[in-house]
Amino acid sequence: MNLNSQAQTPKFLDIVRRSIGDDWVHTADATVSRYGETTLPGSDNPPPAVVYPGSVDEVVAIVNAANETGTQLFPISNGNNISQGSRAPVGANQIVVDLGRRMNRILDFNEDMGIATVEPGVSYQQMHDELVRRGDRFMVDVTSGPPAGSVLGNALDKGAGYTPYADHFAMTCGMEIVLGNGQRLRTGDGALETARNWHMSKYSYGPYLDGLFVQSNYGIVTQAGFWLMPKPPAIRSFAFTFDNDDDLGDIVAAIRPLRMSGFVPTMMRLCNDLWLLASETSHPSYVSGRSITDDERKDLQRAHNLGSWTVSGAFYGASDAQIAPMVERVRSHFASLGRGRYISHEEAMESPTLASAVAAYAGVPSVHEMKQLAWRPGGGMASFTPGVPMDRDLVLQSSRKSREILRSHGLEYLKMYVCGPRFARGLHHLLWNRTVEAEDRAADQAYKALAAAYTDLGLQVGRSPIRYQDFHMSLLGDATRKTCEAIKDVLDPRGIIAPGRYGIGRAATA
Amino acid sequence: MNSTVTMPKGDLAEANAIIKTCVHYGFCTNTCPTYVLLGDENESPRGRIDLIKDMLASNAAPSKDTVKHLDNCLSCLSCMTTCAAKVDYGHLIDRARIHIEQTYRRPLADRLIRTALALILPNPRALHTALRIGALARPFRQLFRGRLRAMLELLPAGERNPPAPRRRQVFAADGERKSRVVLHLGCVQQVAAQHINEAAIRLLTRHGIEVVALGNSSCCGALTLHMGKERQAKAAAIRFVQDVMAEKEAIDAVVITASGCGTTVKDYGHLLAADADMSAAAMAIARKTRDVSELLNDLQLHPPKENMAYKVAYHDACSMLHGQRVVVQPRAVLKRAGFSVHDIAERHFCCGSAGVYNMLQPEIATRLGQRKAANIAGSGADILCAGNLGCLTQIGHYSDLPAVHTVELLDWATGGPMPPALRAYPLAPETKTEAPQNDTAPLSAATQSFW
Ligand SMILES: Cc1cc2nc3c(=O)[nH]c(=O)nc-3n(C[C@H](O)[C@H](O)[C@H](O)COP(=O)(O)OP(=O)(O)OC[C@H]3O[C@@H](n4cnc5c(N)ncnc54)[C@H](O)[C@@H]3O)c2cc1C
Ligand code: SF4
């Protein structure tokens, strides 16, 4: 049988309709066309159908039907993967399995241990609301992206936030997965009938299998345990803004000791001017093919009372008074740089450009940062996410390179470093007018040029838009690729789960 | 990718411009109540934008299906809060409703009911009579179905409402006059819930504000606008602007206690933009218009007369949350008055009231009302509070909690009477003191957290 030609789709859909019901199989053009839409360069990739399972048994039934008919699936949780592919499948003719529509329950909430066991559709907003409802004793680490993003889907893509619980996959403990071969697997102690440690102990006995299901395509994850941080009585943010593009290296050097010692408990967001301003204003003089000038950028900085780089973080404690001396220490630490303006918690709360940072440190979802997408008309957006060591020179060197490449492609440099002790997530948001063909092409070329330049610097991305996943996997070398393929052959021998995702397995070309 | 529509009429150019800004990110689908309930792309904002695009491009009467999907839209504007491309969906759906009204022939029963609502609701005398007839029919409501049943269910039950002043009346400030405002009584509110206006008048005058009530001629036009009846809406808006402009002494603000009206009045500059005689005045009124909570938040309210730490679930009317973005002020002022304010899960989700929506689309409205009531029940509060009569009526129908307007609570806290809706309920304020803000980190055995 020709695997994943469209010929087997009707048979697959017939079987699925019989097992999960007609209502949960959608093939209408209005639906599939929108599931194929992305914000990425190039054309969209509508799936032939979208199916909506309501339980793990229904997921098993769908996977079995796919194996029987040789149909490829593309599982999503809430599909809010904006800038990385949204809800669109990675390959042609892959059927989207939208788990979030119906599997969106918080299955268990252990109030003593701060553990929520969730299905794929549980969103940040839902989790936050539920925690407030239960007495506001815990907070969920949120992203600064869509509040409707899935807690589980995000963790499976190595998503991250800003509080001490920022590493979302690290905060999962114990998963349930339907493997590509149809088998149901519970990791860790989950196999025990009355498992007491399933969501308490990450490693338990035997190999640590959970990691296999992150940025891969070996199975469909149907639930996981998440650890939640007790909510502090007081949260106070602090920020400093610096005037010059080249202040970046010194700021990074100043952040590192604060994070390595654990003195500042949160990740520290270090954002450039346009990252912050773009959610407040649109391009002042948009002309396709031309990047903003430095003078225009300086004008915007002045209008919004921000410098070239702004760094922020937060302290937690029993009271504002208890936190105040810690803020003072950070102030004098940054003051030793001899430049930079301090922005207090109160000022940040009033400032629209810093609102999403303050919300994120407090575990509150917000739509603020998403307004960046209106910087240019036409809806193009891609994330380029190279991590970088917290090294003054390397950060400065790579940042200059990014600015130069984006400018030469007629685009703007929007950048945020999310700084940990030794390593920073480095997020570029490429924004362009997707309806102008030349600009769409330029965005694609800019992404590739950035990827090449960062590869030369020895820096790889932490996540990738679906369109570039093959490319990034090819950089990892033969042994890694072969190992990933070998695992795929065992867990998903017919290659039915999202072949091509993260460059594993072969996708039909979209 | 989106394509350009050649708009057949010049006056639809605005709609075209709005349509072009939609780039189909799809964030809006997550927060659109009808999409979440029905799971149909044509029941989502971007689906509707595509339907509107086709409808306006054809410049013909829309299909029955298109009308159904657009009628199902609540105009809650949740999609506008979420939209990253800043699509001005509110003006687009208004434009679409006007087009439907002008080109589509609805079934007779639908036409009759819409015409009746558009005639009766904005007219306090007619509404008064209708309510009296309705009150007679209400005990037999089980005999009715669909929209008629929904309307009877929503009728105010219980105590007779105090009458509103029929003519312009000025209520002097207590003590030194600090400012002077026009209070919009709301065409439905002054008939169905004048006690809210009375609470507002007491509250404002108590705090040194002179209040001018314009009498029962003034409807802001919101209800007819959202039914696509542009001519009536504009006529109402013009009357409103003229009434306010007729004030001889300067006014500092136009104060609104029905947030559905507030969204429309604040947007008069847009509604009357093409009217050369009125546009400047409309703009001036719009700029002066404030939700009552915005005004109160800027005042130094009298300290609460007793322990007011009642547990209050604050419901954000969509017109406040999405329409006017007035979110912080009502919470802040309630807290300052001593109330213990609780948020409600899914606060971005409409309760199903949406102007006359709960009368015209009772099925979806019922599902939303029940969902909202369940979330309110989960909040742990004893009182429901909102800044819009429509929401209070709709939620009051599904929730067990007594439902009161923000001004009623604030009036009570600062010396006024207990709100009528609370009198039959056994309520007790919280007595425990808040967790101490110590300089040493407390260890609470109950919460297991250490700070
Ligand atoms: C302005 C902006 C800011 C952002 N900020 C952040 C940020 O701070 N942090 C961050 O991490 N991201 C951020 N993002 C990126 C993205 O929007 C979020 O990560 C979002 O949460 C991803 O969508 P989702 O959670 O619904 O996951 P999904 O889209 O459902 O899942 C992501 C991918 O994982 C796979 N997958 C999902 N569920 C399953 C499953 N159950 N089984 C198997 N495979 C599965 C699929 O391949 C899917 O495409 C941002 C985006 C924007 C536009
Ligand atoms: S106004 Fe409300 S109901 Fe209408 S499309 Fe927007 S979110 Fe949906």
Side-chain angles (χ1 to χ4, degrees), chain A residues 97-124:
Chain A
V97 182
D98 183 340
L99 299 148
R101 170 72 58 84
R102 295 171 68 208
M103 296 178 70
N104 50 24
R105 288 155 290 210
I106 298 172
L107 298 171
D108 184 53
F109 185 65
N110 183 330
E111 303 216 20
D112 294 328
M113 300 291 177
I115 301 173
T117 309
V118 302
E119 289 188 323
V122 173
S123 69
Y124 289 106

Side-chain angles (χ1 to χ4, degrees), chain B residues 109-273:
Chain B
D110 197 13
R111 251 181 299 147
L112 284 178
I113 222 157
R114 283 168 186 271
T115 308
L117 288 174
L119 285 176
I120 295 170
L121 292 179
N123 180 339
R125 281 177 198 217
L127 179 59
H128 191 73
T129 311
L131 289 185
R132 289 175 77 162
I133 298 170
L136 297 176
R138 197 170 189 273
F140 309 104
R141 60 190 184 279
Q142 315 291 0
L143 303 176
F144 295 89
R145 288 170 163 272
R147 289 167 165 180
L148 275 178
R149 167 84 172 269
M151 289 183 204
L152 291 173
E153 294 279 6
L154 290 165
L155 284 178
E159 276 185 49
R160 283 281 285 274
N161 207 28
R166 292 212 164 171
R167 296 216 167 71
R168 176 182 175 281
Q169 198 173 335
V170 179
F171 299 86
D174 291 357
E176 186 200 344
R177 185 177 98 178
K178 293 184 194 132
S179 66
R180 183 167 188 273
V181 304
V182 162
L183 179 71
H184 172 55
L185 299 180
C187 50
V188 175
Q189 184 161 294
Q190 63 186 276
V191 180
Q194 172 60 11
H195 61 276
I196 295 176
N197 290 328
E198 293 193 343
I201 292 166
R202 281 193 302 270
L203 179 63
L204 292 171
T205 51
R206 187 178 304 130
H207 290 90
I209 299 177
E210 181 172 294
V211 176
V212 182
L214 290 179
N216 63 15
S217 66
S218 63
C219 159
C220 69
L223 289 172
T224 40
L225 181 66
H226 297 318
M227 282 194 273
K229 297 181 186 295
E230 188 182 29
R231 201 175 42 77
Q232 278 126 295
K234 282 187 172 168
I238 289 171
R239 258 194 323 274
F240 186 103
V241 172
Q242 284 168 339
D243 282 353
V244 178
M245 295 309 272
E247 278 303 301
K248 296 211 168 51
E249 203 180 331
I251 57 152
D252 299 303
V254 175
V255 176
I256 309 261
T257 53
S259 61
C261 307
T263 310
T264 300
V265 180
K266 284 183 177 182
D267 197 35
Y268 272 178
H270 180 268
L271 182 65
L272 298 178

Side-chain angles (χ1 to χ4, degrees), chain A residues 26 30-32 34-35 37-40 42-44 52 78 80 82 86-87 98 101 111-112 125 129-130 132-134 137-138 146-149 229-234 278-282 316-322 367 370-374 376-381 431 434-436 440, chain B residues 1-3 20-31 35-44 46-51 79-86 325 342-348 371 374-380 435-442 445-451:
Chain A
H26 288 201
T31 303
V32 296
R34 291 183 180 111
Y35 272 80
E37 289 171 350
T38 75
T39 59
L40 303 176
S43 49
D44 296 338
Y52 304 94
N78 284 352
N80 273 236
I82 316 294
S86 307
R87 309 189 280 186
D98 183 340
R101 170 72 58 84
E111 303 216 20
D112 294 328
Q125 187 70 52
D129 286 356
E130 178 63 12
V132 171
R133 195 185 71 77
R134 286 175 177 266
R137 289 179 40 221
F138 291 94
M229 179 174 146
K231 186 170 176 182
S279 36
E280 274 314 293
T281 181
S282 48
Y316 304 121
S319 66
D320 290 356
Q322 188 208 31
V367 292
M370 307 206 320
K371 309 285 175 187
Q372 280 180 354
L373 283 114
R376 286 186 179 213
M381 182 185 204
L431 298 169
R434 210 174 163 242
T435 62
V436 177
D440 203 49
Chain B
M1 293 193 192
N2 61 334
S3 61
K20 278 187 180 164
T21 56
C22 176
V23 284
H24 280 203
Y25 291 137
F27 296 127
C28 54
T29 55
N30 299 312
T31 55
Y35 181 75
V36 171
L37 288 189
L38 305 170
D40 177 343
E41 285 286 340
N42 288 327
E43 293 289 348
S44 78
R46 61 181 179 179
R48 291 193 174 109
I49 289 172
D50 281 354
L51 292 174
C79 47
M80 283 184 69
T81 299
T82 317
C83 178
K86 302 178 187 166
R325 312 268 157 105
H342 294 233
D343 277 341
I344 301 168
E346 294 191 334
R347 72 177 194 185
H348 59 282
R371 189 167 172 144
N375 281 327
I376 290 167
S379 72
Q437 289 253 311
N438 295 335
D439 276 0
T440 49
T447 62
Q448 304 280 314
S449 57
F450 182 87
W451 290 103

Side-chain angles (χ1 to χ4, degrees), chain A residues 74-83 86 99 120 124 143-146 149-150 153-154 156-157 159-160 162 219-221 369-370 372-373 381 425 429 463 501, chain B residues 27:
Chain A
F74 189 81
I76 57 169
S77 288
N78 284 352
N80 273 236
N81 213 7
I82 316 294
S83 73
S86 307
L99 299 148
Y124 289 106
T143 73
S144 48
S150 153
N154 176 278
L156 294 177
D157 220 7
Y162 306 94
I220 298 180
V221 182
E369 200 161 284
M370 307 206 320
Q372 280 180 354
L373 283 114
M381 182 185 204
R425 287 170 9 232
H429 278 175
R463 198 170 165 184
R501 180 167 190 258
Chain B
F27 296 127

Side-chain angles (χ1 to χ4, degrees), chain B residues 31-34 44-45 48 73-79 89:
Chain B
T31 55
C32 170
T34 53
S44 78
R48 291 193 174 109
C73 170
L74 295 134
S75 284
C76 67
L77 308 188
S78 174
C79 47
Y89 180 83

Side-chain angles (χ1 to χ4, degrees), chain A residues 93 125 189 246 288 302 304 352 379 418 468-469 475:
Chain A
N93 299 331
Q125 187 70 52
D189 283 358
D246 281 353
S288 193
R302 271 189 293 275
H304 292 266
V418 187
Y468 307 106
Q469 291 181 343
L475 300 175

Side-chain angles (χ1 to χ4, degrees), chain A residues 10-51:
Chain A
K11 186 168 172 214
F12 166 80
L13 294 179
D14 275 352
I15 304 174
V16 173
R17 280 194 183 98
R18 280 200 298 278
S19 49
I20 74 171
D22 250 6
D23 283 354
W24 306 115
V25 176
H26 288 201
T27 53
D29 194 46
T31 303
V32 296
S33 62
R34 291 183 180 111
Y35 272 80
E37 289 171 350
T38 75
T39 59
L40 303 176
S43 49
D44 296 338
N45 180 27
V50 185
V51 297

